[in-house]
Amino acid sequence: QMCIRDRYQRRVHGDKQEDKWAPPQQEDDLPSHDDMGVGLQLFTSSELLGKGAWIGIQMGVLKYELSNKLLENSTLPIALNTSSIDILFPGLTKKYGRGKGLYLRVTANQELPDLAIRDGRIVLFGGADLEFYVDTDGSQYPQKKINECTTCEKALTLNTTLLLTMALDTNSDVNITGSILGVRIEDMVVVESLVDVRTDLVMQFLNSLTSLIIPQVNEVFAAGIPNPALGKNFLDKLRIYVHQNYISTQLSFEPLKKAD
């Protein structure tokens, strides 16, 4: 993982001899104000954004569960059951039977992620744990959540190291827009498993699955997500801009109305 982390550092912070893809080294010097901005201006550095992400991880915010219930309306050619992914985890069908439902829980690990704002994009290097649960008798899948499933057994846990690149912006005063430029799993380690794991195929499978999901996610981002903060505490407008090496947020508030 240290070699991967070093490679990430070269990509994000630059390496004069090896990595031409990397943007130049930028110091996180924040401006005192933006002459073109309006209202209240807030400037966020990479370090502060990374610590904010770490706080979110500690609070359990970055956690996601996936089952066939979430995939039933999807056009993705995949099903989460023991038969469909037995090639990735040899012995899964033999141990649990064919067609048994699978839950996937994704949780960001507790380490402080490496995060940088470079050339108008956000680059994050961090780890996530993937836990696979099998409904052993198929009676509660996929209606129940993992914590509610009394017949579920954890079959394996994988620790992954991934690289995420995204853009974030606001195309109006009311919507948050952005796009995921890329997500790639760089490394994978088996933490615990009741079956065999072919980590090379699992990485290929997850990276291929991610490449199929990203366009659908970006369609939602491109349409704009209504800002949940607007209309509260007299907040009238909110704009977010990702600059060369920092993020600026501009807030404007409605004037207080005089009481009758």
Side-chain angles (χ1 to χ4, degrees):
Q1 184 171 349
M2 289 304 299
C3 293
I4 296 172
R5 187 173 294 273
D6 290 342
R7 188 164 69 247
Y8 158 83
Q9 294 289 346
R10 290 198 300 271
R11 285 178 176 175
V12 175
H13 300 295
D15 185 296
K16 296 181 180 179
Q17 297 181 351
E18 181 176 340
D19 206 329
K20 297 180 180 179
W21 180 89
Q25 174 76 34
Q26 299 287 340
E27 298 296 334
D28 287 343
D29 293 331
L30 301 180
S32 59
H33 70 282
D34 182 356
D35 293 333
M36 301 299 293
V38 295
L40 177 64
Q41 301 178 10
L42 304 175
F43 303 99
T44 306
S45 66
S46 299
E47 181 180 3
L48 183 59
L49 191 62
K51 290 180 178 179
W54 181 80
I55 292 174
I57 291 172
Q58 300 301 311
M59 296 175 61
V61 174
L62 303 181
K63 182 182 295 184
Y64 186 73
E65 292 184 8
L66 183 65
S67 69
N68 279 337
K69 189 174 183 179
L70 298 175
L71 296 176
E72 57 187 11
N73 296 324
S74 173
T75 58
L76 297 177
I78 183 177
L80 284 175
N81 60 60
T82 52
S83 302
S84 64
I85 63 173
D86 185 71
I87 188 173
L88 306 177
F89 310 113
L92 194 64
T93 299
K94 182 178 180 180
K95 180 173 179 60
Y96 295 106
R98 296 184 59 82
K100 295 296 177 62
L102 274 172
Y103 293 95
L104 171 60
R105 174 186 284 164
V106 182
T107 308
N109 65 30
Q110 299 297 302
E111 294 183 5
L112 182 67
D114 284 324
L115 189 147
I117 303 168
R118 294 293 179 263
D119 293 342
R121 68 184 190 274
I122 301 172
V123 185
L124 184 144
F125 177 88
D129 292 328
L130 309 181
E131 298 174 306
F132 292 83
Y133 291 80
V134 180
D135 185 0
T136 56
D137 69 1
S139 63
Q140 302 184 47
Y141 185 87
Q143 292 76 21
K144 299 287 187 179
K145 293 184 178 181
I146 294 176
N147 293 338
E148 301 171 345
C149 181
T150 57
T151 57
C152 287
E153 177 178 280
K154 183 163 67 172
L156 68 148
T157 301
L158 305 175
N159 179 261
T160 61
T161 303
L162 55 87
L163 184 67
L164 166 69
T165 308
M166 67 177 297
L168 186 66
D169 205 340
T170 50
N171 64 350
S172 72
D173 294 324
V174 296
N175 288 335
I176 298 176
T177 61
S179 62
I180 298 177
L181 305 177
V183 178
R184 185 172 63 254
I185 295 177
E186 299 273 359
D187 191 28
M188 178 175 292
V189 176
V190 179
V191 179
E192 57 179 334
S193 178
L194 300 179
V195 296
D196 294 332
V197 181
R198 299 186 61 179
T199 54
D200 55 337
L201 291 182
V202 175
M203 287 180 59
Q204 292 178 25
F205 167 76
L206 292 177
N207 282 327
S208 298
L209 178 62
T210 300
S211 66
L212 293 174
I213 294 176
I214 286 178
Q216 298 185 21
V217 175
N218 283 340
E219 286 183 8
V220 177
F221 271 128
I225 301 174
N227 191 326
L230 294 180
K232 300 178 180 179
N233 300 320
F234 307 103
L235 182 60
D236 180 43
K237 298 178 182 179
L238 185 149
R239 289 283 184 125
I240 300 173
Y241 302 97
V242 181
H243 298 272
Q244 184 80 0
N245 62 324
Y246 66 92
I247 293 178
S248 67
T249 305
Q250 300 176 13
L251 309 171
S252 62
F253 299 87
E254 294 179 345
L256 292 175
K257 296 181 179 179
K258 294 183 179 180
D260 295 333

